[in-house]
Coordinates of all heavy atoms in Angstrom, one line a residue:
K432 N 2.4 0.9 -7.2 CA 1.3 1.6 -7.7 C 1.2 3.3 -7.4 O 1.1 4.0 -8.3 CB -0.1 0.9 -7.2 CG -1.3 1.8 -7.7 CD -1.8 1.1 -8.9 CE -3.2 1.7 -9.3 NZ -3.7 0.8 -10.4
F433 N 1.5 3.5 -6.1 CA 1.2 4.9 -5.6 C 2.6 5.7 -5.6 O 2.6 6.9 -5.7 CB 0.6 5.0 -4.4 CG -0.8 4.3 -4.5 CD1 -1.2 3.1 -4.0 CD2 -1.8 5.1 -5.2 CE1 -2.6 2.6 -4.2 CE2 -3.1 4.7 -5.3 CZ -3.4 3.3 -4.9
I434 N 3.8 5.0 -5.4 CA 5.0 5.7 -5.3 C 5.7 5.7 -6.6 O 6.2 6.7 -7.1 CB 5.9 5.1 -4.4 CG1 5.3 5.1 -2.9 CG2 7.3 5.8 -4.2 CD1 4.9 6.4 -2.4
D435 N 5.8 4.6 -7.3 CA 6.3 4.3 -8.7 C 5.4 4.7 -9.6 O 5.9 4.7 -11.0 CB 7.0 3.0 -8.8 CG 8.1 2.7 -7.8 OD1 8.7 3.8 -7.3 OD2 8.6 1.6 -7.6
E436 N 4.2 4.9 -9.5 CA 3.0 5.2 -10.6 C 3.0 4.3 -11.6 O 2.8 4.6 -12.8 CB 3.2 6.7 -10.9 CG 3.2 7.7 -9.8 CD 3.3 9.1 -10.2 OE1 3.8 9.4 -11.4 OE2 3.1 9.9 -9.6
M437 N 3.1 2.9 -11.3 CA 3.1 1.9 -12.4 C 1.5 1.5 -12.5 O 0.8 1.7 -11.5 CB 3.9 0.7 -11.9 CG 5.3 0.9 -11.9 SD 6.3 -0.4 -11.3 CE 6.2 -1.5 -12.7
S438 N 1.3 1.1 -13.7 CA -0.1 0.6 -14.0 C -0.3 -0.9 -13.4 O 0.8 -1.5 -13.1 CB -0.4 0.7 -15.4 OG 0.4 -0.3 -16.2
N439 N -1.5 -1.3 -13.3 CA -1.7 -2.7 -12.9 C -1.1 -3.7 -13.8 O -0.4 -4.7 -13.5 CB -3.2 -3.1 -12.8 CG -3.9 -2.4 -11.6 OD1 -3.1 -1.9 -10.7 ND2 -5.1 -2.5 -11.4
E440 N -1.1 -3.3 -15.1 CA -0.4 -4.2 -16.1 C 1.1 -4.2 -16.0 O 1.7 -5.3 -16.0 CB -0.7 -3.7 -17.5 CG -0.2 -4.4 -18.6 CD -0.4 -4.0 -20.1 OE1 -1.2 -2.9 -20.1 OE2 0.2 -4.4 -21.1
E441 N 1.7 -3.0 -15.7 CA 3.1 -3.0 -15.4 C 3.5 -3.7 -14.1 O 4.5 -4.5 -14.1 CB 3.7 -1.6 -15.4 CG 3.6 -0.9 -16.7 CD 3.7 0.7 -16.5 OE1 3.3 1.3 -15.5 OE2 4.4 1.3 -17.3
I442 N 2.7 -3.6 -13.2 CA 3.1 -4.2 -11.9 C 3.0 -5.8 -12.0 O 3.7 -6.5 -11.6 CB 2.0 -3.8 -10.8 CG1 2.3 -2.4 -10.5 CG2 2.2 -4.6 -9.4 CD1 1.2 -1.6 -9.5
A443 N 1.9 -6.2 -12.8 CA 1.7 -7.6 -13.0 C 2.9 -8.2 -13.8 O 3.5 -9.3 -13.4 CB 0.5 -7.8 -13.9
R444 N 3.4 -7.5 -14.7 CA 4.6 -8.0 -15.4 C 5.9 -8.1 -14.6 O 6.6 -9.0 -14.6 CB 4.8 -7.1 -16.7 CG 4.2 -7.5 -17.9 CD 4.9 -6.8 -19.1 NE 5.0 -5.4 -18.9 CZ 4.2 -4.4 -19.5 NH1 3.3 -4.7 -20.4 NH2 4.5 -3.2 -19.1
H445 N 6.0 -6.9 -13.9 CA 7.1 -6.8 -12.9 C 7.3 -7.9 -11.9 O 8.3 -8.5 -11.5 CB 7.0 -5.5 -12.2 CG 8.2 -5.1 -11.3 ND1 9.5 -4.8 -11.8 CD2 8.2 -5.1 -10.0 CE1 10.2 -4.6 -10.8 NE2 9.5 -4.8 -9.7
L446 N 6.0 -8.3 -11.4 CA 5.9 -9.3 -10.3 C 5.7 -10.7 -10.7 O 5.6 -11.7 -10.0 CB 4.8 -8.9 -9.2 CG 5.1 -7.6 -8.5 CD1 3.9 -7.3 -7.6 CD2 6.4 -7.5 -7.8
G447 N 5.4 -10.8 -12.1 CA 5.1 -12.1 -12.7 C 3.8 -12.6 -12.2 O 3.6 -14.0 -11.9
K448 N 2.6 -11.7 -12.0 CA 1.4 -12.2 -11.5 C 0.4 -11.7 -12.5 O 0.7 -10.8 -13.4 CB 1.0 -11.6 -10.1 CG 2.0 -12.1 -9.1 CD 1.6 -11.4 -7.7 CE 2.4 -11.8 -6.6 NZ 2.4 -13.3 -6.3
R449 N -0.8 -12.2 -12.5 CA -1.9 -11.7 -13.3 C -2.5 -10.4 -12.7 O -2.5 -10.1 -11.6 CB -3.1 -12.8 -13.1 CG -2.7 -14.1 -13.9 CD -3.9 -15.0 -13.9 NE -3.5 -16.3 -14.7 CZ -4.3 -17.4 -14.7 NH1 -5.1 -17.5 -13.8 NH2 -3.8 -18.4 -15.4
E450 N -3.0 -9.6 -13.7 CA -3.5 -8.3 -13.4 C -4.8 -8.5 -12.3 O -4.9 -7.6 -11.5 CB -4.2 -7.7 -14.6 CG -3.1 -6.9 -15.4 CD -3.6 -5.9 -16.5 OE1 -4.3 -4.9 -16.2 OE2 -3.6 -6.4 -17.6
G451 N -5.5 -9.5 -12.4 CA -6.6 -9.8 -11.4 C -6.0 -9.9 -10.1 O -6.6 -9.4 -9.0

Side-chain angles (χ1 to χ4, degrees):
K432 178 88 175 198
F433 297 106
I434 302 300
D435 294 338
E436 298 180 348
M437 292 174 75
S438 69
N439 286 349
E440 181 182 349
E441 292 169 318
I442 296 168
R444 272 195 314 249
H445 182 75
L446 299 180
K448 297 182 183 290
R449 293 183 174 159
E450 278 188 71

